Amino acid sequence: VINDVTVSTLIPYIDWTPFFRSWQLAGQFPALLDDDIIGETARDLYQDATAMLAQIESEKWIEPKGIIGFYPAHSDGDDVVIFTDEERTKPLETFHFLRQQMAKTDARPNLCLSDFIAPHDAGKTDYIGFFAVTTGLELAPRIEQFDNKNDTYNSILLKALADRLVEAFAEYCHEQVRIYHWGYAPN
């Protein structure tokens, strides 16, 4: 369970490019801040966003929460069976994944998440990891306050920042898994 992450911890993980796209400002961050056409608007928006992030942090508008889990698993066709025990005798759940559906003109296969988990008959022990994160459980009253004041700009700004923060939290969790929890890439 991850309940000690702050908004300031997540800020370096924010991918700002989708944030600007949500405002229909196309371009890659940070280059779009200097764009001849949209640069001034993008800079103003970025300034408002960073100011709101500071307020979110100082007034604790958001409490990031997450959970990470690793389970013994094996694939079964396009499915992944997870188990409650290392001996893999007690199935906990079966996840049914879809295989890619697009037609490919070369010899590349249509992959499925189950392709990355060893099948039972491979004689190998394998695992699957899951995580879930949120940064928005407390936001409904704040958004309602903005909406009640007809402050659509700040309502949308808060929603867009919450979206970026939850994505940043996912990136943070990926890093934590790689370095600490699973430890397969400590560097």
Side-chain angles (χ1 to χ4, degrees), residues 3-184:
N3 56 14
D4 59 351
V5 171
T6 64
V7 169
S8 61
T9 301
L10 300 178
I11 289 172
Y13 296 88
I14 292 175
D15 181 355
W16 286 100
T17 298
F19 171 81
F20 287 101
R21 285 190 187 134
S22 72
W23 291 88
Q24 298 182 354
L25 297 173
Q28 295 296 314
F29 179 83
L32 64 83
L33 297 176
D34 296 321
D35 185 88
D36 292 338
I37 298 169
I38 63 165
E40 183 178 353
T41 301
R43 286 190 301 276
D44 290 345
L45 178 60
Y46 184 63
Q47 183 177 4
D48 291 348
T50 55
M52 184 175 275
L53 279 172
Q55 188 174 13
I56 288 168
E57 175 72 14
S58 68
E59 296 178 14
K60 303 207 182 313
W61 289 6
I62 291 174
E63 294 180 43
K65 297 196 181 302
I67 190 163
I68 297 172
F70 302 98
Y71 297 88
H74 72 249
S75 63
D76 181 11
D78 291 350
D79 300 337
V80 173
V81 181
I82 63 170
F83 297 89
T84 61
D85 60 324
E86 287 293 330
E87 294 76 30
R88 290 153 170 79
T89 58
K90 298 177 187 167
L92 176 64
E93 190 66 59
T94 299
F95 289 89
H96 309 284
F97 294 112
L98 288 175
R99 191 158 293 282
Q100 292 173 322
Q101 300 296 305
M102 71 281 245
K104 296 182 180 179
T105 57
D106 55 16
R108 291 180 301 146
N110 284 2
L111 296 175
C112 181
L113 287 174
S114 64
D115 295 336
F116 299 93
I117 305 293
H120 176 69
D121 60 7
K124 297 182 180 197
T125 57
D126 209 347
Y127 298 83
I128 190 168
F130 296 95
F131 67 85
V133 295
T134 185
T135 59
L137 296 177
E138 310 82 12
L139 290 183
R142 290 262 180 221
I143 292 166
E144 188 176 337
Q145 286 175 348
F146 287 130
D147 290 342
N148 288 340
K149 294 180 197 173
N150 293 319
D151 187 352
T152 305
Y153 177 76
N154 280 307
S155 177
I156 293 171
L157 184 61
L158 180 54
K159 292 172 191 174
L161 287 173
D163 173 74
R164 292 295 82 215
L165 285 169
V166 80
E167 290 291 336
F169 198 3
E171 290 301 322
Y172 172 84
C173 285
H174 276 195
E175 181 182 75
Q176 295 299 301
V177 166
R178 287 190 308 270
I179 295 173
Y180 304 109
H181 301 294
W182 205 319
Y184 64 88

